[in-house]
Amino acid sequence: MTKDKSGDEIQRLRACQEALERNKLLAEFFTLNRDRLRSMVQLRLHPLVRARVDPSDVLQEAFLKACQKLGRYLEKPAVPFSIWLRRITGYALWSVHRDHLGAGARAAQREVVLGDGHAPAPSSVSLSERWIARDPSPIQK
Protein backbone atom coordinates (compact mmCIF):
# COMPACT_ATOMS: atom_id res chain seq x y z
CA MET A 1 0.00 0.00 0.00
CA THR A 2 1.52 3.31 -0.99
CA LYS A 3 1.70 6.34 1.20
CA ASP A 4 -0.76 8.24 -1.04
CA LYS A 5 -3.35 5.47 -0.75
CA SER A 6 -2.87 5.44 3.01
CA GLY A 7 -3.46 9.20 3.06
CA ASP A 8 -6.68 8.70 1.09
CA GLU A 9 -7.88 6.15 3.65
CA ILE A 10 -7.15 8.55 6.49
CA GLN A 11 -8.98 11.40 4.74
CA ARG A 12 -12.02 9.19 4.06
CA LEU A 13 -12.09 8.05 7.70
CA ARG A 14 -11.81 11.65 8.94
CA ALA A 15 -14.68 12.70 6.67
CA CYS A 16 -17.10 10.27 8.36
CA GLN A 17 -19.54 12.15 10.55
CA GLU A 18 -20.88 9.21 12.58
CA ALA A 19 -19.03 6.51 14.47
CA LEU A 20 -21.05 3.75 12.79
CA GLU A 21 -20.14 5.08 9.35
CA ARG A 22 -16.47 5.31 10.38
CA ASN A 23 -16.48 1.75 11.74
CA LYS A 24 -18.01 0.43 8.50
CA LEU A 25 -15.29 2.14 6.52
CA LEU A 26 -12.65 0.80 8.91
CA ALA A 27 -14.10 -2.69 8.39
CA GLU A 28 -13.76 -2.22 4.62
CA PHE A 29 -10.11 -1.16 4.95
CA PHE A 30 -9.43 -3.97 7.43
CA THR A 31 -10.87 -6.48 4.93
CA LEU A 32 -8.57 -5.14 2.22
CA ASN A 33 -5.58 -5.84 4.54
CA ARG A 34 -6.98 -9.07 6.01
CA ASP A 35 -4.92 -11.56 3.96
CA ARG A 36 -1.65 -9.82 4.81
CA LEU A 37 -2.60 -9.54 8.51
CA ARG A 38 -3.73 -13.18 8.64
CA SER A 39 -0.41 -14.30 7.14
CA MET A 40 1.42 -12.27 9.77
CA VAL A 41 -0.58 -13.92 12.57
CA GLN A 42 -0.19 -17.44 11.15
CA LEU A 43 3.56 -16.98 10.83
CA ARG A 44 3.98 -15.70 14.40
CA LEU A 45 1.34 -17.73 16.28
CA HIS A 46 3.04 -20.08 18.75
CA PRO A 47 2.26 -23.77 18.01
CA LEU A 48 0.83 -24.35 21.50
CA VAL A 49 -1.47 -21.37 21.11
CA ARG A 50 -2.43 -22.40 17.57
CA ALA A 51 -4.09 -25.50 19.06
CA ARG A 52 -6.37 -23.20 21.10
CA VAL A 53 -6.81 -20.06 19.02
CA ASP A 54 -7.59 -19.55 15.35
CA PRO A 55 -5.87 -16.66 13.54
CA SER A 56 -9.35 -15.26 12.79
CA ASP A 57 -9.87 -14.82 16.53
CA VAL A 58 -6.72 -12.70 16.71
CA LEU A 59 -7.90 -10.62 13.75
CA GLN A 60 -11.27 -10.10 15.39
CA GLU A 61 -9.57 -8.80 18.54
CA ALA A 62 -7.36 -6.58 16.40
CA PHE A 63 -10.38 -5.11 14.62
CA LEU A 64 -12.12 -4.34 17.93
CA LYS A 65 -8.96 -2.61 19.21
CA ALA A 66 -8.68 -0.68 15.95
CA CYS A 67 -12.27 0.55 16.40
CA GLN A 68 -11.43 1.73 19.92
CA LYS A 69 -8.16 3.45 18.96
CA LEU A 70 -9.12 4.88 15.57
CA GLY A 71 -10.04 8.33 16.87
CA ARG A 72 -6.67 8.81 18.53
CA TYR A 73 -4.86 7.58 15.42
CA LEU A 74 -6.77 9.98 13.15
CA GLU A 75 -5.89 12.96 15.36
CA LYS A 76 -2.20 12.56 14.56
CA PRO A 77 -1.29 9.62 12.31
CA ALA A 78 2.41 8.97 12.85
CA VAL A 79 2.61 5.96 10.51
CA PRO A 80 0.78 4.89 7.34
CA PHE A 81 -2.62 3.31 7.93
CA SER A 82 -1.57 -0.22 6.89
CA ILE A 83 1.39 -0.08 9.30
CA TRP A 84 -0.96 1.06 12.08
CA LEU A 85 -3.24 -1.94 11.38
CA ARG A 86 -0.23 -4.28 11.53
CA ARG A 87 0.83 -2.74 14.84
CA ILE A 88 -2.67 -3.18 16.30
CA THR A 89 -2.71 -6.79 15.07
CA GLY A 90 0.73 -7.39 16.57
CA TYR A 91 -0.50 -6.15 19.95
CA ALA A 92 -3.55 -8.43 19.70
CA LEU A 93 -1.25 -11.37 18.93
CA TRP A 94 1.02 -10.48 21.85
CA SER A 95 -2.04 -10.33 24.13
CA VAL A 96 -3.21 -13.78 23.00
CA HIS A 97 0.25 -15.22 23.64
CA ARG A 98 0.34 -13.61 27.08
CA ASP A 99 -3.10 -14.98 27.94
CA HIS A 100 -2.35 -18.54 26.81
CA LEU A 101 1.35 -18.98 27.52
CA GLY A 102 1.56 -17.02 30.75
CA ALA A 103 -1.75 -18.04 32.26
CA GLY A 104 -0.51 -20.11 35.21
CA ALA A 105 -2.82 -23.10 35.63
CA ARG A 106 -4.40 -22.50 32.21
CA ALA A 107 -1.09 -22.16 30.37
CA ALA A 108 -0.87 -24.08 27.11
CA GLN A 109 2.46 -25.58 28.18
CA ARG A 110 0.65 -27.45 30.96
CA GLU A 111 -1.70 -29.28 28.60
CA VAL A 112 -1.29 -33.04 28.40
CA VAL A 113 -2.15 -34.90 25.22
CA LEU A 114 -3.90 -38.17 25.96
CA GLY A 115 -3.08 -41.00 23.62
CA ASP A 116 -0.70 -40.86 20.70
CA GLY A 117 -2.75 -38.45 18.62
CA HIS A 118 -3.63 -41.16 16.10
CA ALA A 119 -6.03 -43.24 18.17
CA PRO A 120 -9.57 -42.18 18.96
CA ALA A 121 -10.02 -40.09 22.07
CA PRO A 122 -9.92 -42.18 25.23
CA SER A 123 -13.27 -43.13 26.71
CA SER A 124 -14.29 -42.12 30.20
CA VAL A 125 -13.90 -45.74 31.31
CA SER A 126 -10.32 -46.00 30.04
CA LEU A 127 -9.49 -42.63 31.61
CA SER A 128 -10.91 -43.67 34.98
CA GLU A 129 -8.99 -46.95 34.87
CA ARG A 130 -5.84 -45.00 34.12
CA TRP A 131 -6.23 -42.76 37.17
CA ILE A 132 -7.63 -45.23 39.72
CA ALA A 133 -5.13 -46.04 42.45
CA ARG A 134 -3.58 -49.50 42.24
CA ASP A 135 -3.63 -49.89 46.03
CA PRO A 136 -6.57 -51.60 47.68
CA SER A 137 -9.21 -49.30 49.09
CA PRO A 138 -9.51 -48.92 52.91
CA ILE A 139 -12.50 -51.28 52.85
CA GLN A 140 -10.46 -54.01 51.15
CA LYS A 141 -7.61 -53.81 53.71
Side-chain angles (χ1 to χ4, degrees), residues 2 10 39-40 43 51 54 65-66 70 93 103 108 111 113 130 132 134 136:
T2 66
I10 293 168
S39 294
M40 180 186 100
L43 180 67
D54 188 76
K65 284 293 181 191
L70 182 61
L93 181 61
E111 289 184 356
V113 177
R130 185 175 188 175
I132 292 177
R134 302 289 183 227

Side-chain angles (χ1 to χ4, degrees), residues 4-74:
D4 293 335
K5 189 172 182 181
S6 179
D8 291 344
E9 292 168 338
I10 293 168
Q11 291 306 318
R12 287 180 62 195
L13 285 163
R14 283 181 175 160
C16 295
Q17 298 298 318
E18 297 179 17
L20 181 60
E21 181 185 359
R22 185 177 284 174
N23 286 344
K24 284 182 181 181
L25 191 55
L26 176 62
E28 179 183 322
F29 294 149
F30 197 88
T31 301
L32 291 173
N33 288 278
R34 184 175 179 82
D35 290 341
R36 185 175 300 152
L37 296 173
R38 185 176 180 84
S39 294
M40 180 186 100
V41 170
Q42 285 177 322
L43 180 67
R44 291 174 174 84
L45 194 61
H46 192 284
L48 291 174
V49 177
R50 190 175 291 124
R52 296 173 147 201
V53 177
D54 188 76
S56 294
D57 297 330
V58 178
L59 293 180
Q60 182 177 358
E61 286 298 316
F63 177 73
L64 292 174
K65 284 293 181 191
C67 286
Q68 293 171 355
K69 296 177 181 274
L70 182 61
R72 190 177 325 151
Y73 170 74
L74 292 176

Side-chain angles (χ1 to χ4, degrees), residues 73-88:
Y73 170 74
L74 292 176
E75 288 173 8
K76 190 175 179 183
V79 295
F81 185 73
S82 60
I83 302 295
W84 180 75
L85 285 179
R86 279 189 277 183
R87 183 184 297 168
I88 295 288

